[in-house]
Amino acid sequence: MSANRALSSPQYLRTPDAALHLGLSPRTLEKHRCYGTGPAFHKLGGRVVYTVDALDSWAALGLRRSTSDPGSGVCLPARRFDGPVRR
């Protein structure tokens, strides 16, 4: 990795920046953390941070080519589910 890239793009994003990256509200990401339906995150001390790769991988689960495309994964809504969570 070049030194310029390391300075220009942060390796970890806090919740407000991660939400902006995904086009969601920070509160939605907080709900996803509570319910276990969102992107993978790290706890560094008392701070929650996300890698850009984890955010992009999670968003890719919702990729569809048409309304009839079942896709290869599911981005679940930020709510409680009974039973195991599918990913």
Side-chain angles (χ1 to χ4, degrees):
M1 175 174 20
S2 72
N4 290 339
R5 179 168 180 219
L7 294 175
S8 65
S9 61
Q11 188 172 0
Y12 296 103
L13 299 177
R14 301 222 17 219
T15 301
D17 297 323
L20 185 63
H21 180 80
L22 292 171
L24 300 172
S25 76
R27 182 70 181 120
T28 299
L29 274 182
E30 292 169 5
K31 288 179 183 179
H32 276 296
R33 279 200 309 269
C34 289
Y35 300 137
T37 57
F41 62 93
H42 298 270
K43 289 280 292 205
L44 303 177
R47 300 178 193 272
V48 173
V49 294
Y50 297 88
T51 62
V52 173
D53 288 340
L55 296 171
D56 291 341
S57 295
W58 179 74
L61 291 174
L63 179 66
R64 304 292 188 270
R65 302 271 182 232
S66 71
T67 56
S68 61
D69 181 3
S72 61
V74 176
C75 282
L76 296 170
R79 66 180 179 89
R80 190 175 317 271
F81 287 89
D82 294 330
V85 174
R86 296 183 333 229
R87 290 191 183 217

